Amino acid sequence: MWDQLLQQIALSEPKALARSISLVENEVEGYEQFLGQLPVGHAAVTGITGPPGAGKSTLVDALIQQWVTAGKKVGVLCIDPSSPFNLGAVLGDRIRMSDWYNHPNVFIRSLATRGSLGGLHPHIIEITALMQATGFDHIIVETVGVGQSEIEIAGLADTTVVVVVPEAGDEVQTMKAGLMEIADIFVVNKSDRPEADTFVRNLRMMLAPAFHQTTTAIPVIKTIATDKTGLVELATAIEQHQQEVHHSERKDWLLTERAWKLIQQHRMKDINKQALKDKIASLRSKGTFNLFSFIHSYIQQ
């Protein structure tokens, strides 16, 4: 099975990619060896993040059109909130991207966070590698939109695009530091709304090298995703950043971050959360539970 999937992945077969993602999600025996044999892909990863209601899905839809029109193959991973009952994706397939589901140059997959606190899927690194091995020109990862925990996307994406709306107004001064720090590009979507120009001006001032820990100004791009305004500028800015990042030290840090996460995941594999809970409950019932001594004794086992 795995050998056949490898052959089909090398031929960019979308059905093989879809099946491989499901097998990796469910940690079917042999998946780690399978991942180790994947061809190395070079498609850059663009992370689209930002607060709920900023228009991330509509923006992704517009980006798909921009790149497909230019003859590119685009893979999209949409991270959705999990159902508390079965850990499946609550939103499922994105209605706003429904035009692309049967397009030969577009692959879209919804993934549930499955309780992951960082706004991503626990196997997002492996699934992204699968996408890269399948020969896409661009890979887009759209996160849930849950605020400060979104910073995990910075450890995955070559370019992180933070989407905001003009309504933030003066509140940009109190915007969560996590999102401010991870942005490679800021998009002010729905920029036909009142006060958009003032908001963009204030944001550019805040992000200028004199006030921010960067050597160059972070681009701030105005878009109206519903009518595709500003998408040429956004696609150009993403591609320019990815050409620069390809030759920079940041690529090494991105790969180090991914390696760290995977090693951490592997080392924690034998720890059963239910068994951990049972031990804690037993000690607490005896009135002898101390969190730190418990952790120390657990590590020493």
Side-chain angles (χ1 to χ4, degrees):
M1 173 184 71
W2 293 114
D3 289 341
Q4 186 181 9
L5 283 173
L6 276 172
Q7 292 170 10
Q8 292 171 337
I9 288 287
L11 295 171
S12 303
E13 290 281 347
K15 287 182 180 177
L17 173 60
R19 189 178 178 207
S20 299
I21 290 174
S22 295
L23 294 171
V24 169
E25 274 193 289
N26 294 302
E27 299 183 359
V28 173
E29 186 178 350
Y31 86 94
E32 290 174 317
Q33 291 80 1
F34 166 69
L35 290 168
Q37 296 172 32
L38 285 175
V40 177
H42 300 288
V45 179
T46 301
I48 308 290
T49 189
K56 295 188 294 294
S57 294
T58 308
L59 195 73
V60 170
D61 177 75
L63 263 179
I64 294 171
Q65 181 174 5
Q66 189 65 37
W67 280 326
V68 167
T69 303
K72 306 293 186 182
K73 289 182 68 178
V74 184
V76 183
L77 295 172
C78 302
I79 315 298
D80 290 332
S82 290
S83 162
F85 304 107
N86 59 21
L87 297 183
V90 170
L91 300 180
D93 292 341
R94 300 302 179 95
I95 293 171
R96 293 179 186 85
M97 301 177 207
S98 57
D99 292 346
W100 302 107
Y101 279 99
N102 294 318
H103 196 286
N105 286 343
V106 180
F107 178 92
I108 299 174
R109 179 71 173 244
S110 285
L111 300 171
T113 57
R114 297 194 176 193
S116 174
L117 296 178
L120 295 175
H121 184 282
H123 285 302
I124 188 67
I125 296 172
E126 296 95 325
I127 293 169
T128 303
L130 268 170
M131 302 276 281
Q132 288 176 314
T134 311
F136 291 101
D137 298 300
H138 293 281
I139 296 170
I140 301 171
V141 178
E142 181 196 340
T143 68
V144 175
V146 292
Q148 199 158 359
S149 59
E150 295 283 326
I151 59 174
E152 189 175 295
I153 188 65
L156 175 75
D158 298 283
T159 303
T160 302
V161 178
V162 174
V163 186
V164 291
V165 288
E167 281 72 16
D170 293 336
E171 292 173 12
V172 71
Q173 309 254 1
T174 58
M175 189 181 292
K176 293 186 174 178
L179 284 179
M180 293 293 284
E181 292 299 325
I182 67 169
D184 297 307
I185 298 168
F186 260 103
V187 168
V188 179
N189 194 29
K190 306 179 184 180
S191 60
D192 53 338
R193 294 185 177 180
E195 304 300 323
D197 289 339
T198 303
F199 178 78
V200 168
R201 189 165 57 249
N202 291 341
L203 189 54
R204 281 182 176 144
M205 193 181 304
M206 283 190 66
L207 296 171
F211 302 101
H212 204 254
Q213 295 178 350
T214 57
T215 52
T216 56
I218 296 171
V220 178
I221 298 170
K222 291 167 62 179
T223 64
I224 308 170
T226 50
D227 63 12
K228 313 298 189 285
T229 301
L231 265 297
V232 173
E233 293 84 349
L234 175 57
T236 301
I238 290 170
E239 288 165 5
Q240 283 178 347
H241 180 266
Q242 287 169 352
Q243 286 168 4
E244 293 163 7
V245 87
H246 186 71
H247 302 288
S248 78
E249 188 185 2
R250 177 175 169 177
K251 189 71 178 179
D252 294 331
W253 278 113
L254 285 170
L255 290 170
T256 302
E257 183 71 19
R258 292 175 205 176
W260 176 278
K261 287 272 170 61
L262 291 173
I263 292 167
Q264 186 181 54
Q265 206 174 72
H266 183 76
R267 294 279 175 88
M268 290 287 288
K269 212 164 192 175
D270 63 336
I271 296 179
N272 183 296
K273 195 178 282 188
Q274 182 61 46
L276 203 64
K277 175 183 169 293
D278 292 343
K279 283 190 178 184
I280 290 171
S282 173
L283 289 171
R284 286 192 63 218
S285 68
K286 298 171 186 174
T288 59
F289 180 72
N290 177 289
L291 176 63
F292 307 103
S293 62
F294 172 76
I295 291 169
H296 182 72
S297 63
Y298 202 90
I299 291 169
Q300 299 302 312
Q301 288 178 8

